[in-house]
Each structure stands twice: as structure tokens, then as C-alpha cells.
Amino acid sequence: MHFSIMLKSLFVYGVLGVLLISVKSELITVCVEDDDDLRVDCKLEPTSNKINSYEFSWSSGNKQTLINTNVSGSAAEAKFKGKSDVEELDPHGYRMTLRGFRDSLPHNTTYLCKISGANANITVERDQLARCSAVSVFLKSSCSWLVCLLLFFYHTHS
């Protein structure tokens, strides 16, 4: 009897551990909106003693291309001018939306963001870009916590 309880506990806590590891907040996410615009969310926390600056770029192969920035003295590549918008996220970070490039994205792209000197990047294959739906965003952010909670209640009530 004790062996089955111990085995059950080991399984439940093992699953909880794996799920909690995967819950770690992603600093940068890339997805495609319903209108086929590309969205890059950069959730880096800026340092408090600097003016908030941002840079969004991508690289494919050895070439890095600046898409949007508010850094003085830097400019986005000409083909991106007027094609992207950046908005501030709450509590911190920025979201860049890029229009008209869904079909011309490089096959394997590294998306980069920089906020007040802090950097984050993610590599995504064009065919693996997820849709930016409210459901998928919810599942990415809180599904693991929900599963953990359900497993915890299952374990404590059985």
C-alpha cells in the first residue's frame, strides 16, 4: 500500500516539477496575428536608471536587419519604414507588429529585441510560427499552472 502511494506521489511531483520548469516566463515571443501581421513581444524589464529605448531586429544567416527602434542615431532598414508599430506593454516591455512580411520571412530566423541595453532572442522556423490567439496566449502563460493546481487537488483528495 505504501509503495503505491509513494509511486503516485513521485509521479505527481515529477509532473509538477516538469510543468513548473516550463512555466518560466519567455522574454521574447513571436507569433502571427489573424490578419497575418507578425508580432514580437519583448518582455525585458528595463533598468531603472536608463531612458527606455528599444530595438527590434532579425537575423538570418550572418545578416542582422534592424526593423524598428527609438534609439537616437539608429534607423530601421528602408524596407521596414512605415511597416511596423511598437507599443509599450504593461507592466514592462514592448510589442512590435510588422505588416506585410508574413510570406517573405526567411525560413529560419532569429528575432532579437533590446530594451535599455538588455537583450533577448529566439529562433523560429517560418513554418513553426504560432497564431496569436487569446486562447493560445492563455494556454502558454497559465495552462501549466492550471494543470499543476488540478494535479495538486487530485493528489490531496485521493
Side-chain angles (χ1 to χ4, degrees):
M1 182 69 177
H2 290 288
F3 180 73
S4 69
I5 292 172
M6 186 173 64
L7 192 59
K8 186 176 170 184
S9 295
L10 184 62
F11 172 75
V12 168
Y13 289 117
V15 169
L16 285 173
V18 168
L19 291 174
L20 287 174
I21 288 169
S22 67
V23 166
K24 180 183 159 229
S25 175
E26 294 180 23
L27 297 176
I28 182 171
T29 56
V30 180
C31 59
V32 177
E33 295 181 338
D34 290 337
D35 57 4
D36 276 347
D37 289 348
L38 184 73
R39 184 171 92 192
V40 181
D41 287 352
C42 185
K43 299 172 187 162
L44 290 169
E45 205 165 336
T47 52
S48 59
N49 60 348
K50 291 188 173 184
I51 296 172
N52 283 351
S53 62
Y54 60 80
E55 290 183 15
F56 287 90
S57 58
W58 71 30
S59 71
S60 183
N62 293 331
K63 185 176 184 211
Q64 184 170 334
T65 306
L66 187 60
I67 301 170
N68 197 318
T69 184
N70 69 349
V71 175
S72 179
S74 295
E77 199 165 291
K79 68 181 177 180
F80 296 115
K81 290 198 188 268
K83 300 282 186 183
S84 66
D85 299 304
V86 175
E87 62 184 279
E88 198 163 355
L89 296 174
D90 190 37
H92 51 79
Y94 290 92
R95 171 176 293 158
M96 181 196 67
T97 305
L98 180 62
R99 296 177 298 282
F101 284 87
R102 169 73 169 104
D103 296 327
S104 61
L105 293 174
H107 176 68
N108 193 19
T109 307
T110 300
Y111 298 89
L112 304 102
C113 68
K114 185 188 293 186
I115 297 180
S116 300
N119 298 302
N121 66 63
I122 187 171
T123 301
V124 181
E125 291 189 26
R126 180 180 54 218
D127 300 336
Q128 302 299 317
L129 281 169
R131 285 275 168 197
C132 306
S133 68
V135 173
S136 70
V137 170
F138 173 76
L139 289 176
K140 272 184 168 179
S141 63
S142 60
C143 180
S144 297
W145 287 105
L146 184 62
V147 170
C148 289
L149 191 60
L150 290 173
L151 281 172
F152 174 75
F153 283 121
Y154 169 77
H155 180 67
T156 57
H157 290 95
S158 61

